[in-house]
Amino acid sequence: MTTKLHASIAASFAVTSAAMLISCSSVDGPEAPELSGAPELVDGASYGLVVSDPLSVQSPAGARASGTTDAAGMDQKVAYVSLAPGRFANQEAAIITNLRSGASRTESLVGAGGLDPVPIPAAVGDTIEVAITSRGTVHIRLAS
């Protein structure tokens, strides 16, 4: 079971990495917007946002929470979210939210304002929003 889990995770990172490489290799696209006033909701793909299709992963924590003794855990669906570097160099964090479920996590931006792939619970048809923040203020909202 562990080999299957590792293969699934490796495949998801390979897909996400390939998508990031493609999005990073092009310098075309909109420049980072002026980050002032009310945060606007924009198409995230135009700003280097990559959201994978939901993938099944094994969650040992889910097995413990449900009281099962299956060592492999329970299947959980997650999407991997990443942001190409360079668009939000002066910003601090990204708040990633699944608008259907309300699942949310906050991640520090790395490098020149990018975000390495991080998982968030998701299902097919969910909308993922990424709010770019600095000093606690949301400046722009990207939607998948």
Side-chain angles (χ1 to χ4, degrees):
M1 242 352 174
T2 302
T3 303
K4 186 177 181 181
L5 169 64
H6 289 140
S8 175
I9 291 172
S12 67
F13 278 114
V15 168
T16 304
S17 296
M20 283 184 61
L21 181 60
I22 292 168
S23 67
C24 291
S25 64
S26 174
V27 294
D28 294 335
E31 291 296 316
E34 282 295 320
L35 301 178
S36 62
E40 60 178 302
L41 184 63
V42 298
D43 174 33
S46 299
Y47 291 91
L49 178 68
V50 177
V51 178
S52 75
D53 289 335
L55 302 165
S56 292
V57 295
Q58 296 289 320
S59 172
R64 285 192 299 276
S66 68
T68 65
T69 57
D70 180 9
M74 298 175 55
D75 277 341
Q76 178 182 3
K77 297 273 190 189
V78 297
Y80 288 88
V81 179
S82 61
L83 185 61
R87 303 288 171 119
F88 302 104
N90 297 321
Q91 305 310 303
E92 296 171 353
I95 303 169
I96 305 163
T97 306
N98 180 322
L99 296 182
R100 180 194 55 83
S101 71
S104 182
R105 67 184 294 163
T106 301
E107 295 292 328
S108 295
L109 295 178
V110 296
L115 179 66
D116 291 334
V118 294
I120 188 161
V124 173
D126 287 357
T127 299
I128 304 296
E129 177 184 280
V130 178
I132 306 300
T133 67
S134 178
R135 292 185 288 283
T137 301
V138 174
H139 295 287
I140 188 169
R141 296 172 19 231
L142 310 171
S144 66

